[in-house]
Amino acid sequence: MDASSDEGVVTEEVIVPRRVGQASAEPWDVLSPVDIEDGSGSAQNRLLIKGGRVVNDDMMQDADVYIEDGIIKQVGTNLHTPGGTRVIEAKGHLVMPGGIDTHTHMQMPFMGTQAIDDFYTGTRAALAGGTTMIMDFALPQRGESLIEAFHRWRTWADPKVCCDYAIHVGVTWWSDKVAQEMEELTNEQGVNSFKMFMAYKDTWQLNDEELLESFKRCKELGALAQVHAENGDVIKENSKKLLELGITGPEGHEMSRPEEVEAEATNRACVLANQVNCPLYVVHVMSKSAADVVSSKRKQGHVVFGEPIAASLGTDGTHHYHKCWRHAAGHVMGPPLRPDSSTPKYLMDLLANGDLQTTGTDNCTFSAAQKALGKDDFTKIPNGVNGVEDRMSVIWEKGVVSGKMDPCRFVAVTSTNAAKIFNIYPKKGRIAVGSDADIVVWNPHATRVISAKTHHQAVDFNIFEGMEVHGIAEFVVCHGRVVVEEGEVRAISGMGKYVPTPVFNPHVYGRLEERERANAPCKVERAPYEGPVAQLNGQGMQEGGIIPVQQETFYTRGPTRSGGVNLHDSSFHVSGAQVNDKSPKRPSVKVNNPPGGRSSGSFW
Ligand code: URP
Ligand code: ZN
Ligand code: ZN
């Protein structure tokens, strides 16, 4: 597909960034944006994507898209565009919002080493695959300031990022200072999501009390709590036993943390978050049983979201048992890929049908030599796999080509839902007037074979090696600039921007606030008890023996303000009933206006 002129109305201008004062500008990959000469300063900023099928999460239309200064200005047919506009012919192609990868770890220091894909190679690879924004994690060491960690990540990212990025911050320990820093991060640094770890005992793991405190704090601040859901105590115990048995290879990693270890933690996180009315986002959903927990909690009305990743949707954990150590170690990540080979299809079904919502990659890559730090002990193999480059193609292949989802749902799970859940919609995640011009021109029919030999990532291994996929990002536009051109990446380090994510997201907090209002406990008005009262002695014991406690007293809490069953009664949730389903009486509803605007309903 060639860029071409448009019947004399607009003319093509090839975008080739040039270093000021240089005749030839081949190495554009290392230019900083301040070094880029913008030609006339005009055509660079105008682009028409012509003749394609525009796909949003809720509709498809045959339309042209006109872009100026990085923003979508017109969507429709027969558009009037100024001369000097560059044209991309998109006939037969899908024109979709650029992908948003909700979960990456570029150049993260981890397990004694540092992820090999940094913010440059990682985001350049993201663009190659059609992803125009990543969300990375700033993870402080235990005892370290969250704010310092956040700034360190920004310092790493800003000069290198080729696409936009946002930051989730890890709550890896708990104190009053952490609580106070969370507020500063939300108010002043544009952070609206915090990740809590239930695994990595002795480093990042929080206990239940700390989890509860952090969830309460997220709720107060209008943030979204994220969890790495695995039971770290069980993993530690199992790992010790396996090593004692002489199981030191990568299979030990998988054996030490079976599905129920993930499912138990997922359930626990959902219960804890729900008890304090905090919205929850479960990162890297890796197993059928953990996905079932998310799905069933959603059916019970919990405000919880689930994020499978390219790895869990595209491959499985049988690779841990491969005879080649490097191959097996290349698949080690936590929670592990599952040896049940029906898992990817199952997760894709849930994603297609709305039980799971977003897709990340947990891109955290280590070379063979780095993985070999654990050659004699699986607990020392740095955890992490690739995915940022191949996520879109893998989901297209396993989701759309397989017949499980249509292109609209593909857009929802690769971009729009993330934009909504992290409160950057419709700036991101939509092709519409006023939205950022982050666009992928997708060839749904072209194929490629994924390989570490040809991928753009720095890592020397690819968990999808040899997989043939349909769906190629032929052109990628980021901030209105063509950064992938007929498959060729023309990324510029430092071109991406930090995207602040505001708190009190109406897409998340809208329903939560209604739910909280409807479930607020309410006191039973009654005449005071006037009978005898037992006397306690100095040790707090009743004088003259113990009277058995009557069982009914536990189950007779009053209704909530709206007349619904009190959520604190343990027998409430098991039926799958939503709030107030059992109560025919609904009060008139006064809709609150949450600070970020109003919710227009549930989108997932
Ligand atoms: O194996 C993984 N997942 N590595 C990155 C750290 C994390 O837990 O997300
Ligand atoms: Zn994690
Ligand atoms: Zn991760």
Side-chain angles (χ1 to χ4, degrees), residues 16-31 35-37:
V16 181
R18 297 209 180 283
R19 186 186 287 277
V20 175
Q22 258 194 355
S24 160
E26 279 305 292
W28 39 64
D29 279 355
V30 292
L31 296 185
D35 292 334
I36 305 299
E37 195 183 317

Side-chain angles (χ1 to χ4, degrees), residues 103-105 108 137 195 197 228 283-284 334 362-364:
H103 188 150
T104 67
H105 302 278
M108 180 170 78
F137 291 82
K195 179 176 177 183
F197 290 86
H228 173 130
V283 304
H284 47 43
D362 205 358
N363 193 94
C364 186

Side-chain angles (χ1 to χ4, degrees), residues 305-364:
F305 308 102
E307 170 206 79
I309 60 172
S312 60
L313 294 164
T315 186
D316 64 53
T318 55
H319 294 279
H320 295 115
Y321 296 83
H322 200 279
K323 288 283 184 191
C324 165
W325 188 90
R326 197 280 173 263
H327 182 96
H331 289 79
V332 166
M333 65 160 295
L337 287 157
R338 300 301 172 186
D340 174 351
S341 58
S342 62
T343 305
K345 284 189 177 143
Y346 189 87
L347 295 180
M348 188 61 85
D349 282 332
L350 265 59
L351 186 65
N353 295 320
D355 293 298
L356 299 171
Q357 291 69 46
T358 59
T359 53
T361 56
D362 205 358
N363 193 94
C364 186

